Amino acid sequence: MSDNGCGFPAPGLHSFLFKPIVTVGGFEFNKVMLLALITTLLVVTFFTLAFGKAKVVPGKLQMVGEAGYDFVRRGIVYETLGKREGEKYVPLMVSLFFFIWIMNIWSVIPLAQFPVSSIIAFPMVLAGIVYIVWVSLTFKKHGFVGFFKNVTGYDKSLGPVLPLVMVIEFFSNLLVRPFTHAVRLFANMFAGHLMLVMFTVASWYLLNSWMIPAAGISFVMTVVMILFELFVQAVQAYVFVLLACSYIQGALAENH
């Protein structure tokens, strides 16, 4: 913003910083943490109410819950892991999907207007959970030697290039994989929120100037961005869970 206060208030990193709502000792509880907490309570409460007293003839809430649960179970888990191997991982994947989706959707909810996933700490924790599950399953399934072969892509048929491939695969799987898993979600939500804030602020700014027609165009773009973000929010939850399932599938696959 310019010195006279009339410049365009461009969004930036400050759009992702929030003052603490309450501070206890050295711990600060801010808006993003509150939204994450509400998200957790919403997911737990919804599925408790939907399936706590499940009936043969489901009510409306149970039908909605079953539809969401079935979407993740059949559309992601079964398609990736198969019914036999995948069934035990369905609760984890359903929890991840709806937790991420609701964290994302706060971006277009009035008063909240912020995607929790655009703060990288949250995607990193979720990616860390998937990473721990993947590593532990690989150890359990293959043992130490099998784990090493699994994460290094060991294949004798590669011949002279095998050492190079093993080094690349090792760093890719153990170091890069959890990072990219988290950053993919974070970057999409970060960029989407930045664009949405930019068009929203621009609409208000232009409306209070002589460029009112441009304000109309910016407002239309804001609506378009909201609709686009609704699509991206669901897709990012889907992709995160799909990748988690593919990692688990790799852990359960037989070494060659």
Side-chain angles (χ1 to χ4, degrees):
M1 184 176 291
S2 63
D3 294 335
N4 60 11
C6 297
F8 173 67
L13 291 178
H14 62 274
S15 304
F16 298 84
L17 300 176
F18 297 92
K19 295 180 179 179
I21 299 173
V22 62
T23 301
V24 180
F27 178 78
E28 296 181 348
F29 187 82
N30 60 23
K31 176 182 178 178
V32 183
M33 295 176 182
L34 177 62
L35 292 177
L37 178 60
I38 294 173
T39 299
T40 304
L41 294 175
L42 284 175
V43 173
V44 172
T45 302
F46 173 77
F47 282 105
T48 300
L49 293 176
F51 298 115
K53 295 181 179 179
K55 300 177 181 179
V56 177
V57 180
K60 293 180 180 178
L61 192 62
Q62 186 179 333
M63 287 180 65
V64 174
E66 288 179 352
Y69 192 89
D70 247 17
F71 169 74
V72 178
R73 179 173 62 178
R74 298 182 184 277
I76 305 178
V77 180
Y78 285 3
E79 288 292 323
T80 309
L81 297 170
K83 184 176 182 179
R84 182 179 177 183
E85 292 287 353
E87 189 63 42
K88 66 184 74 171
Y89 303 106
V90 171
L92 172 62
M93 297 307 165
V94 170
S95 301
L96 283 173
F97 179 86
F98 284 99
F99 184 70
I100 293 169
W101 182 42
I102 295 176
M103 282 203 306
N104 293 346
I105 214 168
W106 285 120
S107 173
V108 296
I109 302 298
L111 300 180
Q113 297 172 308
F114 188 83
V116 179
S117 302
S118 65
I119 301 298
I120 196 168
F122 292 94
M124 286 297 291
V125 169
L126 297 177
I129 292 172
V130 174
Y131 181 78
I132 292 170
V133 171
W134 167 66
V135 170
S136 59
L137 279 175
T138 308
F139 263 114
K140 183 178 179 180
K141 176 75 174 179
H142 306 288
F144 180 79
V145 175
F147 172 82
F148 182 76
K149 290 181 178 180
N150 187 288
V151 300
T152 57
Y154 179 81
D155 185 352
K156 290 188 294 185
S157 65
L158 293 175
V161 299
L162 178 59
L164 177 60
V165 171
M166 290 178 68
V167 171
I168 294 173
E169 286 294 313
F170 179 83
F171 283 100
S172 175
N173 288 324
L174 287 182
L175 299 179
V176 178
R177 173 179 288 184
F179 177 75
T180 56
H181 196 195
V183 168
R184 183 180 286 105
L185 172 60
F186 156 73
N188 278 279
M189 291 301 100
F190 183 92
H193 182 64
L194 206 58
M195 293 293 291
L196 193 56
V197 170
M198 183 181 71
F199 283 113
T200 303
V201 173
S203 299
W204 178 255
Y205 176 77
L206 294 170
L207 190 63
N208 289 276
S209 69
W210 59 273
M211 299 182 66
I212 294 178
I217 296 174
S218 183
F219 177 75
V220 171
M221 285 302 301
T222 302
V223 175
V224 171
M225 282 300 302
I226 290 174
L227 296 175
F228 181 68
E229 276 298 289
L230 286 170
F231 172 73
V232 172
Q233 288 156 6
V235 167
Q236 287 306 310
Y238 178 89
V239 169
F240 190 95
V241 173
L242 181 64
L243 288 172
C245 287
S246 70
Y247 298 156
I248 291 175
Q249 192 276 333
L252 299 175
E254 295 294 336
N255 287 328
H256 299 288

